[in-house]
Amino acid sequence: MSTAPLPANADPTPGPNHVAIIMDGNGRWAKARGLPRVAGHRRGADAVRRVVRGAGELGIPVLTLFAFSTENWTRPADEVNDLMGLLRHYLRNELDELRRNGARLRVIGNREGLASDIVRDISDAESLTRGNSRIDVNICINYGARAEILQAIRSLARQVEAGELSSDRIDEDRFESALLTSGVPDPDLLIRTSGEQRISNFMLWQCAYAELVFVDTLWPDFGKEHLEQAIAEFRRRERRYGGVGG
Ligand code: IPE
Ligand code: IPE
Ligand code: MG
């Protein structure tokens, strides 16, 4: 990623309106220090706090953080337990901080796979932050884009079977409304930390035209300044949407 400053006469693309982050590299952060992986996840939770605050200060309207994928269940049970423990801790202890940031929390993912106390904590955190309006913070937990797309297709198919929907009325808007992200604008900037350059089953439909920014920084080291650099990179991009550009 280039870190050159924006030229003075730049006509930057406005936004981004929605920044999504694939938070990656906790394990490598810990390994580099001879620490257990959970230590990296703990420091990753600190980074979440910094980035939520920074995004609010930068005036980003929507921030989405990918925290746990449907595929992450394949990790060793101890690590999954540690991650679920950190999630519980976050949902119970970050509410004041979210309120201070004016953050409205929404958890995106399949809740059926989660422990019942976590599902309750999620509902509580969502309702306690519902009135906040400075920034929407979405956290993807037990989220996988292919599973999301399939459940949307099933739900539309059921409506067709029941005679409530005609198949030729399934357009992009109708399909979007059946996704877990219904009502959330598409990410226009997708950042992945830790040097990996892949999507890992994240918002495959919604990121159709997202600008991708890959940074080498490991997630526990990521902060507001890295977010600002990624936004500067976003603003240097020319978004064409299939057109010819300017
Ligand atoms: C991101 O860090 C956190 C989750 C995916 C839950 P990782 O745990 O994937 O860290 P690395 O990729 O092994 O370094
Ligand atoms: C992607 O990271 C998922 C999250 C950040 C929650 P992973 O570390 O699980 O992805 P892969 O395995 O490197 O593709
Ligand atoms: Mg990883």
Side-chain angles (χ1 to χ4, degrees):
M1 189 182 85
S2 158
T3 54
L6 280 176
N9 62 351
D11 179 19
T13 313
N17 184 45
H18 179 177
V19 178
I21 308 181
I22 301 176
M23 309 185 287
D24 199 11
N26 295 352
R28 277 162 284 166
W29 184 95
K31 191 173 181 202
R33 288 160 182 77
L35 297 169
R37 290 178 63 86
V38 65
H41 295 314
R42 274 195 210 107
R43 293 294 286 264
D46 295 340
V48 168
R49 187 175 311 118
R50 280 199 304 276
V51 168
V52 168
R53 192 181 302 159
E57 288 164 1
L58 293 170
I60 295 168
V62 186
L63 174 71
T64 296
L65 301 172
F66 194 11
F68 191 89
S69 75
T70 47
E71 291 74 28
N72 288 146
W73 295 109
T74 63
R75 295 188 178 199
D78 281 354
E79 179 167 352
V80 171
N81 284 338
D82 288 338
L83 286 165
M84 291 299 144
L86 279 168
L87 178 57
R88 280 189 182 88
H89 190 265
Y90 185 86
L91 291 167
R92 291 176 192 170
N93 295 285
E94 278 314 286
L95 293 176
D96 282 343
E97 172 70 12
L98 288 169
R99 214 173 290 130
R100 273 195 292 277
N101 290 312
R104 178 168 59 182
L105 184 74
R106 171 162 165 178
V107 173
I108 296 174
N110 180 6
R111 296 191 191 183
E112 273 164 34
L114 299 171
S116 57
D117 67 306
I118 292 184
V119 175
R120 204 172 45 241
D121 289 344
I122 290 172
S123 307
D124 290 350
E126 287 178 335
S127 44
L128 287 164
T129 60
R130 188 156 290 147
N132 299 337
S133 57
R134 181 157 84 144
I135 179 168
D136 280 349
V137 175
N138 305 311
I139 302 193
C140 298
I141 295 163
N142 197 19
Y143 175 84
R146 287 187 172 182
E148 175 192 35
I149 289 169
L150 284 176
Q151 71 76 33
I153 290 170
R154 274 190 221 106
S155 122
L156 294 169
R158 273 194 297 272
Q159 291 172 48
V160 173
E161 276 169 358
E164 297 159 6
L165 176 65
S166 153
S167 62
D168 34 83
R169 293 196 47 218
I170 301 177
D171 56 11
E172 292 193 7
D173 285 345
R174 175 72 68 149
F175 188 71
E176 261 158 23
S177 69
L179 292 169
L180 297 171
T181 51
S182 171
V184 178
D186 286 346
D188 33 26
L189 168 58
L190 173 60
I191 302 169
R192 183 170 185 146
T193 60
S194 88
E196 304 298 348
Q197 302 193 0
R198 55 179 168 264
I199 303 291
S200 297
N201 202 16
F202 179 73
M203 295 204 180
L204 299 178
W205 169 278
Q206 298 89 335
C207 285
Y209 271 102
E211 293 296 328
L212 310 182
V213 172
F214 299 105
V215 302
D216 288 336
T217 311
L218 301 174
W219 176 250
D221 293 325
F222 197 86
K224 184 183 176 186
E225 67 280 16
H226 301 95
L227 188 58
E228 285 181 283
Q229 283 167 18
I231 290 169
E233 168 73 24
F234 171 87
R235 290 181 177 157
R236 280 189 287 268
R237 303 269 178 96
E238 184 194 4
R239 306 188 77 197
R240 291 187 177 173
Y241 303 101
V244 290

